[in-house]
């Protein structure tokens, strides 16, 4: 176990989350992440090639997962740890006042996934399959609407493919509402 230090890990009724920083022996910042349970999350880093360099972890606690995401994003953008793979202000955008908050959805999904850890693997797998199916269907509907909007705006299939980051053939499937754009039933 690596040494850790924490700042005010309160036992409030709301679910707190931490922004954790991983340092090497010389005190250089290696990585910044966030999690409800930093001990559990850091176990997933053990497979990283840089993990043997980690000598210390410092946890900074926040009142919610959303607050931790925002703090993590800001910290990565300003502190630029060498082992974070993202180059900009993190995987989530800072909330814009008055706009729908995309962090909320990530927070809810993350809380759901964390809650599943206590369930038997059979129940966990079933719930994860349901989540993937639900999210996948919604994403496919929204993507199709966007593709049809581009087509109605006069874009060619090739332009739609380039703009969407998908293949020409996939654009054709989406516009035709081809079942090939759906997941293989054998996967479910």
């Amino acid at each position: 176990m690596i040494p850790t230090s924490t700042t005010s890990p309160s036992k409030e009724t709301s679910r707190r989350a931490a922004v954790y920083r991983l340092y090497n022996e010389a005190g250089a910042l290696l990585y910044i992440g966030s999690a409800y349970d930093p001990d559990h999350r850091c176990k997933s880093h053990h497979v990283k090639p840089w993990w043997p360099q980690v000598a210390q972890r410092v946890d900074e606690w926040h009142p919610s997962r959303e607050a931790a995401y925002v703090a993590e994003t800001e910290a990565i953008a300003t502190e630029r740890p060498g082992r974070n793979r993202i180059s900009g202000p993190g995987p989530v955008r800072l909330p814009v006042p008055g706009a729908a908050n995309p962090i909320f959805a990530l927070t809810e999904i993350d809380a759901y996934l964390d809650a599943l850890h206590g369930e038997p693997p059979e129940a966990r797998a079933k719930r994860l399959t349901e989540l993937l199916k639900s999210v996948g269907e919604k994403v496919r509907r929204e993507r199709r609407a966007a593709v049809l909007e581009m087509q109605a705006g006069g874009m060619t299939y090739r332009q739609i493919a380039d703009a969407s980051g998908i293949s020409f053939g996939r654009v054709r499937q989406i516009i035709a509402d081809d079942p090939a754009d759906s997941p293989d039933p054998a996967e479910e």
Side-chain angles (χ1 to χ4, degrees):
M1 179 72 177
I2 57 173
T4 63
S5 68
T6 59
T7 55
S8 66
S10 170
K11 292 182 181 176
E12 298 172 3
T13 55
S14 66
R15 186 116 188 244
R16 296 172 57 89
V19 171
Y20 60 90
R21 288 171 174 80
L22 302 175
Y23 297 90
N24 68 13
E25 194 68 40
L29 179 62
L30 297 171
Y31 185 86
I32 298 174
S34 65
Y36 286 120
D37 182 350
D39 288 334
H40 179 76
R41 181 64 58 87
C42 283
K43 288 178 184 173
S44 68
H45 296 309
H46 287 207
V47 298
K48 309 284 175 140
W50 50 264
W51 180 256
Q53 299 172 30
V54 176
Q56 182 183 19
R57 186 183 84 216
V58 175
D59 299 338
E60 173 188 303
W61 289 89
H62 295 269
S64 67
R65 183 70 167 154
E66 180 177 331
Y69 273 133
V70 171
E72 173 191 18
T73 300
E74 290 172 343
I76 291 168
T78 58
E79 299 171 44
R80 300 284 187 196
R83 299 303 179 180
N84 283 84
R85 289 183 156 206
I86 56 177
S87 59
V92 294
R93 303 269 184 246
L94 297 177
V96 176
N101 191 344
I103 296 173
F104 178 76
L106 296 173
T107 302
E108 292 298 308
I109 289 172
D110 200 49
Y112 180 77
L113 295 175
D114 281 351
L116 289 180
H117 283 290
E119 293 191 17
E122 299 85 1
R124 223 171 39 240
K126 183 170 175 72
R127 288 188 181 208
L128 290 170
T129 300
E130 290 167 355
L131 177 64
L132 280 172
K133 184 177 178 184
S134 171
V135 170
E137 288 171 4
K138 175 70 174 166
V139 168
R140 279 189 297 282
R141 277 195 310 271
E142 291 299 321
R143 180 175 67 177
R144 183 166 194 272
V147 165
L148 291 174
E149 210 173 302
M150 286 186 275
Q151 182 189 33
M155 291 177 74
T156 67
Y157 283 19
R158 176 67 55 213
Q159 290 169 325
I160 294 169
D162 291 344
S164 304
I166 57 178
S167 72
F168 179 85
R170 179 65 73 197
V171 171
R172 288 179 38 200
Q173 289 173 336
I174 292 168
I175 289 174
D177 200 19
D178 189 327
D181 187 43
S182 300
D184 182 351
E187 292 177 352
E188 298 175 12

